[in-house]
Amino acid sequence: MISPTKRAFGGLQSRIRATSLLGSILIAFSVLSISVISYVLLHMVQLELRREATTRNTVLASTIAHEIAMTLEGYTRGLTLVGSEPFLSRTGMAAVKDIYSAFEYIEFSNPAGRIQFTTDSATRDFFDISKREYYIQTNAKHVTYVSDSFISERTYQPTAVIAVPVPGGIVAGHLNLQALTDYITGIERNDFEISVVDRTGYYIAHSRSDMVYRRETVALEPWYSYARDSYSGSRFNRKNNTEYFTCWANVNKGNWLVVINQTTGSIFKSADRLRRSAIGITLVFVFLSVAMIIVIIRLVSRDINALVRYSRQMIDGKYDISLHFEGFADLMPLAQNFEEMFAAVRSREENLLQNESLISANLREKEVLLKEIHHRVKNNLQLVISLLSLKAGADDTLQAQFADSIDRIRVMSMIHEMLYRSEDLAQIDLAEYMRIITEKLLDNFTHEERIPALSINLQSINVDIDTAIPCGLIINELLTNSLKYAFTYSEATKALLTVQLSLDSHNSISLFISDNGPGLPPGFDPTTTDTLGMQLVLSLVDQLGGAWKILPGPGTVWLITFPGRQASIGKL
Amino acid sequence: MRHTRIKNAANMVQVRFRIPQVILLLMVGVMLLTLSCRQTGTIAVGFAASLSGKDYMLGVDGRNAVELFIREANQQGGIQGKQLQLLIRDLESDLTKVIPADTNLQEQGVVAIVGHFTSAEVETALPFINHKELPLISPAATSESLSDKNDFFFRTIMSSRDDGSVLANHIRSRDLQRILVIATALNPAYVTTYLDGLSKELEIAEFLEYTQLNDIDSRLSRITAEVEAICIIASSIDTGTIAQLLRSKGWLQPLYASGWAGNNDLIHYGGTAVEGLIFVHQINPDLPEIREFSDKYSKIYGSLPGFGAIEAWDSMLYLYTALKIQKRSESLASALRRVHEFRGISGNIVMNSFGDAKRQLYIKTVQDGSIVTKGLAGD
């Protein structure tokens, strides 16, 4: 019993070619393997490139940050000079401004926030700067303060104020940050951008100066929230559909950040080349794999087809073809087995044919002998009939006594005659046999006064001789009985004799014999009667394993049923 | 049975290599599908303002606010699932850059332009935007000459004509009649509108127009007329600096200024010289929405939002509201006209059928180094 799952799988198997399946798995596995290896390799390369970029860009950012811090420190020291006696004047301040040329102007204010001197022509002495953030912070904390950047209302360039507490007030230098952009653009760079942002995120220097003038800001960029609170770091981020790798380092003074932005494309350029190469190699490999697998599949299919064709020849019985297999070595044993199997089948077939002709000849000889036996039995029975007829001679009494016996012997003789005339010695058509018996009896009956009409309906049934002889004797007895006793009286009714034979679906043979004579005497019981014919009938029915029944008239109606052993429906 | 198997085998011979082909096709299909799965469906919004040059301040403030607005709108799902994309152009405080910038934005497929903070920029852009039927929403152009026109210009700020009138009424209520007006020559449309309002109520004894602050010094000394009050129509930095200059020269008359100067730079640059200065403004910083916005803005940008940021946020809110109600076959200009009133961070903003805003005016003064609201105009 095959389980449904197994049957379903078996059904699937039957629809897939093993070679195709193997080829597909090989291709899929090859592609998958190469993809996984490429991915892992690429990932490792990317990690290494990222580590290298992080180190390189962070070091660069830190170096620039350090330089800017040192420059700011220098400018702060310059402002401190203004607080010292020799420089605490408009001319001293101007001298400092000349040295530290990035200062747009320098101003000195008293503790009340009123300007005492300034190098700015637009600003008047005693202008109130007490509300300016740089003044408030420096005055409150007495430490150097670097303001957020802003655009100067005079130059429209980014500016920051460095405010330094000095004895007697605060010195503030308005630092033009354009110098920072000039410094950055002077650094040689290939595929990255350098910028400086202030603590609020505005660019105060950029290798693209327009970013500064437009007051572009990084405040909304995700990396900036991390950078604000760290000394240095790096992060991948996306801007305007481009992915960047951003490294930053803090400029200690001023809380500015030096930012190195590099597109990930340029960082992973070599990884991209590797990826493209890997894809190319993979595609070539896949193409070659597919081509090779297709060739192998074709060769294997060719070998299998050769074996299929060879086995087909064997099925068709063409044994004169030999197999010259030149395929794969692992299919060679199969081909050899085929060849040996072919030879074995050929040898057995030849033996079978020889045996068959011997058996046929033997059988034909046996049939001839059997027919001869049946012929001799029939002749012997005819001889017995002749002897009995001679013995009876002209004596009517003896003739009457021997008539029944002669009829019975004739019935048996007839069957042997039919058998030796027949092609089939094992079976006999019971209908034909009954027709011959019936006609013979009626022929013998023609000398009687009344000739009954015959209604005969016989289904052709083939039975063996062991069934046919008892059956023939039964018919002979019952018909003889009817011919003897049913139509002896002259009556107006026309005499009718009915014989029917049929085989039902249960392989049971029914024999129906009736006449329209006066019927059996009242109280007649076939089992208690001492007549030979009746005893013979009952004995033969019993021998056939059947049953008999006398049906109500008119006339005498016999129904005999018996199993049709080895019976079959004959010619229609 | 045997024949069926042979037939199957024959069919299999016909379909040989089909499975490898199917696998390859599937692989190619997956690759193509992956490549084609790119994000689509964005709404491009243009922002054009002066981010550099003399007018940078409002523009930079406005850009910061608009970028913040776009980020928040996109985080909330955008407009009907479409993300907003902001395209920024710098007008460089140069009117010759206006048309190229707007043309570029229009070519990039923006649905509208927010920006053009000065009336002069709007006046330059008007023929182009009307020709292209491209809505322009200005957060700060207040010239009266732009009012009540059935065009593609919209603004969420009110004309400054009423600012001048209200300020003039306030000055007159203090029995001051003759005033000295000091105005920048760099924003004539705004100055003209403001002057219209002032001149209806007051006598302008002297009008001093400047292009550079250094010019003022010598010209002040030539003024002979008696004036009872001084009104400065200039930016906050200029107003603060001029106020210091006036005080240092002994001009002690009451000071008044235009709403343009209404931000903290007025105090930073004016110091104690701007104490008591009065101006009329359309924004009340005490509104909770503005406070909330100020907190948010200062956390990100490190400073309080200026007038430009607040007004730009409201302009974006106006555009956002219209985009949300815009029907499939409706133009954006039509949708903008259907927005009759909306709640901005600077209060309720009523829009008329021409796309001009009607807002409340506040009287403000500088007191103890801070700008404080004295009350609604007319109270």
Side-chain angles (χ1 to χ4, degrees):
Chain A
M1 187 72 166
I2 299 169
S3 72
T5 315
K6 201 169 177 182
R7 199 181 301 132
F9 188 66
L12 182 67
Q13 277 179 312
S14 70
R15 290 193 295 274
I16 298 173
R17 298 183 72 217
T19 47
S20 300
L21 185 63
L22 185 65
S24 308
I25 290 168
L26 274 173
I27 292 168
F29 190 72
S30 304
V31 172
L32 189 67
S33 304
I34 293 169
S35 303
V36 168
I37 291 167
S38 302
Y39 176 78
V40 170
L41 196 65
L42 202 64
H43 188 65
M44 288 168 68
V45 170
Q46 279 183 335
L47 279 178
E48 184 57 29
L49 288 171
R50 179 182 174 169
R51 194 188 61 76
E52 188 191 323
T54 307
T55 308
R56 185 186 62 231
N57 292 355
T58 308
V59 166
L60 179 62
S62 300
T63 306
I64 296 170
H66 179 70
E67 284 203 31
I68 292 171
M70 293 304 290
T71 308
L72 280 178
E73 185 62 34
Y75 273 77
T76 306
R77 285 181 192 281
L79 289 177
T80 312
L81 274 179
V82 175
S84 60
E85 193 55 47
F87 293 96
L88 196 56
S89 65
R90 200 182 303 276
T91 49
M93 209 180 276
V96 171
K97 183 185 171 301
D98 287 343
I99 296 166
Y100 297 96
S101 58
F103 280 132
E104 186 184 324
Y105 63 93
I106 301 171
E107 65 196 19
F108 172 67
S109 58
N110 65 19
R114 293 281 174 181
I115 288 176
Q116 303 299 301
F117 333 108
T118 176
T119 59
D120 178 31
S121 60
T123 310
R124 302 290 178 269
D125 294 346
F126 300 106
F127 259 33
D128 181 12
I129 59 162
S130 62
K131 305 296 181 189
R132 303 278 184 101
E133 187 69 12
Y134 62 84
Y135 174 82
I136 295 167
Q137 292 291 336
T138 313
N139 195 40
K141 296 175 183 171
H142 291 283
V143 291
T144 301
Y145 175 80
V146 180
S147 75
D148 292 341
S149 70
F150 57 94
I151 297 294
S152 163
E153 66 272 21
R154 292 167 181 76
T155 63
Y156 298 118
Q157 287 183 338
T159 307
V161 177
I162 305 174
V164 180
V166 296
I170 290 168
V171 178
H174 290 244
L175 187 66
N176 187 331
L177 297 174
Q178 176 60 35
L180 212 52
T181 295
D182 294 341
Y183 165 64
I184 282 170
T185 48
I187 296 171
E188 190 181 340
R189 64 195 188 283
N190 295 321
D191 48 9
F192 55 85
E193 287 178 343
I194 306 171
S195 57
V196 183
V197 298
D198 70 5
R199 84 187 102 204
T200 56
Y202 287 107
Y203 286 110
I204 55 176
H206 200 288
S207 43
R208 281 172 50 204
S209 58
D210 59 319
M211 297 290 281
V212 180
Y213 293 129
R214 287 207 308 265
R215 296 290 279 165
E216 294 283 346
T217 172
V218 295
L220 284 176
E221 292 181 23
W223 65 269
Y224 183 63
S225 57
Y226 297 97
R228 257 177 172 168
D229 306 320
S230 63
Y231 181 76
S232 65
S234 63
R235 209 145 189 107
F236 283 98
N237 65 91
R238 178 172 281 277
K239 190 178 178 183
N240 298 331
N241 293 326
T242 307
E243 196 176 31
Y244 289 94
F245 181 59
T246 304
C247 286
W248 63 86
N250 198 294
V251 178
N252 201 19
K253 223 176 189 72
N255 203 13
W256 297 343
L257 287 177
V258 175
V259 183
I260 309 288
N261 254 331
Q262 188 172 6
T263 58
T264 53
S266 68
I267 292 173
F268 300 126
K269 204 186 295 174
S270 51
D272 276 349
R273 273 202 297 270
L274 182 68
R275 183 170 53 196
R276 278 196 292 273
S277 303
I279 289 169
I281 290 167
T282 305
L283 287 176
V284 169
F285 185 82
V286 167
F287 178 75
L288 289 175
S289 301
V290 169
M292 283 171 64
I293 288 164
I294 286 171
V295 168
I296 291 167
I297 288 172
R298 277 178 174 276
L299 291 172
V300 171
S301 297
R302 187 199 63 189
D303 291 353
I304 292 171
N305 285 340
L307 293 173
V308 169
R309 277 198 305 276
Y310 187 58
S311 61
R312 181 71 246 172
Q313 305 278 356
M314 187 163 65
I315 292 164
D316 293 344
K318 296 174 184 170
Y319 299 111
D320 54 341
I321 293 171
S322 59
L323 175 64
H324 300 290
F325 188 76
E326 294 174 343
F328 285 101
D330 46 359
L331 290 174
M332 196 63 82
L334 185 62
Q336 284 168 352
N337 286 355
F338 259 115
E339 223 165 355
E340 286 171 15
M341 191 168 71
F342 210 174
V345 170
R346 187 164 49 209
S347 165
R348 282 177 199 170
E349 180 99 1
E350 284 167 4
N351 288 340
L352 279 173
L353 286 172
Q354 280 177 359
N355 289 341
E356 189 186 350
S357 61
L358 280 173
I359 289 165
S360 296
N362 211 357
L363 188 63
R364 276 196 299 277
E365 192 181 334
K366 291 285 186 327
E367 279 178 354
V368 170
L369 284 173
L370 197 56
K371 281 187 178 179
E372 186 57 31
I373 288 166
H374 281 301
H375 193 200
R376 288 189 183 184
V377 170
K378 179 247 172 189
N379 286 348
N380 287 343
L381 289 173
Q382 285 296 329
L383 189 63
V384 171
I385 290 168
S386 301
L387 287 172
L388 287 174
S389 297
L390 286 172
K391 183 73 179 175
D395 187 342
D396 290 342
T397 310
L398 278 176
Q399 277 186 6
Q401 284 175 348
F402 287 167
D404 289 346
S405 296
I406 287 167
D407 283 346
R408 285 167 192 145
I409 293 166
R410 188 176 292 117
V411 166
M412 287 187 285
S413 163
M414 272 177 210
I415 205 154
H416 288 290
E417 186 177 359
M418 282 181 76
L419 279 170
Y420 82 74
R421 290 183 192 281
S422 167
E423 288 292 317
D424 186 359
L425 291 168
Q427 295 223 305
I428 193 165
D429 186 353
L430 189 59
E432 182 66 18
Y433 183 39
M434 285 176 64
R435 189 174 293 110
I436 292 168
I437 293 169
T438 307
E439 285 170 358
K440 194 73 181 173
L441 286 172
L442 282 177
D443 283 347
N444 292 342
F445 193 66
T446 51
H447 61 276
E448 300 294 335
E449 292 175 357
R450 295 184 67 205
I451 300 169
L454 183 63
S455 169
I456 191 161
N457 185 8
L458 304 173
Q459 186 180 2
S460 178
I461 302 168
N462 292 325
V463 293
D464 59 11
I465 192 167
D466 292 338
T467 303
I469 290 173
C471 199
L473 289 172
I474 290 167
I475 293 162
N476 180 64
E477 290 306 321
L478 293 177
L479 287 180
T480 303
N481 208 33
S482 290
L483 290 170
K484 273 185 184 173
Y485 306 112
F487 310 121
T488 52
Y489 304 99
S490 175
E491 290 182 8
T493 309
K494 191 178 181 183
L496 177 64
L497 197 59
T498 304
V499 181
Q500 291 177 355
L501 178 69
S502 62
L503 178 68
D504 67 14
S505 58
H506 302 292
N507 214 29
S508 175
I509 297 171
S510 297
L511 178 61
F512 181 88
I513 297 170
S514 70
D515 61 49
N516 60 347
L520 295 168
F524 177 78
D525 182 3
T527 58
T528 55
T529 185
D530 54 355
T531 60
L532 179 62
M534 204 51 66
Q535 285 175 357
L536 194 60
V537 167
L538 297 188
S539 171
L540 290 168
V541 169
D542 195 40
Q543 185 184 325
L544 287 169
W548 58 269
K549 197 182 281 181
I550 298 170
L551 302 177
T556 303
V557 182
W558 284 88
L559 176 64
I560 295 164
T561 56
F562 54 93
R565 290 185 301 268
Q566 298 178 353
S568 62
I569 294 173
K571 291 179 290 184
L572 295 174
Chain B
M1 179 69 84
R2 189 194 304 149
H3 290 296
T4 310
R5 281 191 182 165
I6 290 164
K7 202 172 177 182
N8 283 344
N11 285 340
M12 282 174 198
V13 170
Q14 285 175 358
V15 297
R16 80 171 61 158
F17 312 131
R18 212 170 264 178
I19 291 174
Q21 286 163 354
V22 167
I23 288 176
L24 281 174
L25 278 174
L26 278 175
M27 286 167 64
V28 171
V30 168
M31 283 167 68
L32 289 174
L33 200 67
T34 310
L35 288 172
S36 65
C37 283
R38 296 284 169 88
Q39 189 182 354
T40 56
T42 55
I43 298 172
V45 175
F47 178 85
S50 292
L51 304 174
S52 55
K54 63 183 175 55
D55 298 328
Y56 80 94
M57 204 177 287
L58 287 177
V60 170
D61 264 6
R63 182 204 58 202
N64 289 350
V66 168
E67 284 189 323
L68 192 57
F69 186 96
I70 294 278
R71 187 175 79 162
E72 285 191 7
N74 285 338
Q75 282 170 351
Q76 288 167 15
I79 304 286
Q80 292 160 356
K82 290 183 177 177
Q83 294 282 288
L84 295 173
Q85 184 193 6
L86 183 64
L87 302 178
I88 299 171
R89 298 292 177 269
D90 180 12
L91 301 181
E92 301 176 35
S93 305
D94 181 354
L95 292 179
T96 63
K97 302 283 198 253
V98 172
I99 296 297
D102 289 353
T103 304
N104 182 263
L105 287 173
Q106 189 261 333
E107 286 170 355
Q108 296 290 317
V110 299
V111 294
I113 297 173
V114 173
H116 295 63
F117 282 71
T118 67
S119 300
E121 287 169 355
V122 173
E123 282 176 345
T124 308
L126 265 181
F128 174 78
I129 60 150
N130 284 334
H131 174 64
K132 297 292 181 184
E133 300 186 352
L134 178 67
L136 167 65
I137 304 169
S138 173
T142 56
S143 171
E144 178 60 16
S145 63
L146 302 170
S147 295
D148 299 337
K149 288 183 177 169
N150 193 11
D151 54 12
F152 288 85
F153 170 67
F154 302 84
R155 59 179 166 185
T156 49
I157 195 164
M158 190 167 64
S159 158
S160 56
R161 186 189 59 182
D162 291 347
D163 294 28
S165 303
V166 168
L167 186 65
N169 281 330
H170 185 79
I171 295 169
R172 205 175 59 178
S173 71
R174 296 171 75 179
D175 293 330
L176 304 171
Q177 288 289 335
R178 293 165 57 78
I179 62 167
L180 161 66
V181 175
I182 302 173
T184 176
L186 301 177
N187 196 356
Y190 179 80
V191 170
T192 305
T193 301
Y194 221 92
L195 277 176
D196 281 352
L198 286 175
S199 59
K200 283 179 185 167
E201 307 291 338
L202 298 169
E203 181 189 342
I204 297 173
E206 283 286 344
F207 177 69
L208 194 159
E209 193 177 50
Y210 72 92
T211 49
Q212 290 189 341
L213 287 172
N214 286 342
D215 301 343
I216 296 173
D217 205 355
S218 57
R219 293 175 64 184
L220 273 176
S221 58
R222 290 202 292 271
I223 293 174
T224 53
E226 280 190 16
V227 292
E228 296 169 346
I230 303 166
C231 181
I232 307 165
I233 307 172
S235 70
S236 53
I237 294 174
D238 281 7
T239 303
T241 307
I242 292 167
Q244 292 233 35
L245 194 63
L246 288 168
R247 295 308 188 217
S248 69
K249 293 282 181 188
W251 291 74
L252 302 175
Q253 290 90 335
L255 279 179
Y256 295 88
S258 64
W260 186 8
N263 61 56
N264 285 332
D265 278 339
L266 174 69
I267 294 164
H268 294 158
Y269 284 82
T272 52
V274 294
E275 275 291 314
L277 180 144
I278 291 173
F279 60 93
V280 173
H281 210 250
Q282 297 187 21
I283 290 176
N284 177 10
D286 297 329
L287 286 174
E289 289 95 334
I290 289 188
R291 283 186 180 168
E292 189 187 332
F293 175 68
S294 297
D295 286 346
K296 184 164 57 184
Y297 185 95
S298 58
K299 270 182 192 165
I300 292 168
Y301 295 110
S303 61
L304 287 170
F307 161 77
I310 292 167
E311 290 298 342
W313 184 278
D314 277 348
S315 289
M316 281 303 295
L317 206 55
Y318 177 45
L319 173 63
Y320 186 73
T321 308
L323 283 170
K324 280 207 149 181
I325 64 162
Q326 186 184 8
K327 294 169 187 167
R328 191 176 289 272
S329 56
E330 187 184 25
S331 69
L332 179 60
S334 168
L336 284 164
R337 288 188 192 103
R338 285 201 292 119
V339 179
H340 301 301
E341 185 176 2
F342 69 100
R343 178 74 184 172
I345 53 173
S346 56
N348 269 344
I349 299 174
V350 177
M351 305 296 296
N352 69 15
S353 57
F354 299 109
D356 294 319
K358 178 74 178 171
R359 298 169 55 151
Q360 288 184 317
L361 289 172
Y362 301 89
I363 306 284
K364 296 183 180 181
T365 187
V366 179
Q367 187 178 308
D368 299 329
S370 299
I371 296 171
V372 294
T373 305
K374 291 185 75 174
L376 273 170
D379 284 354

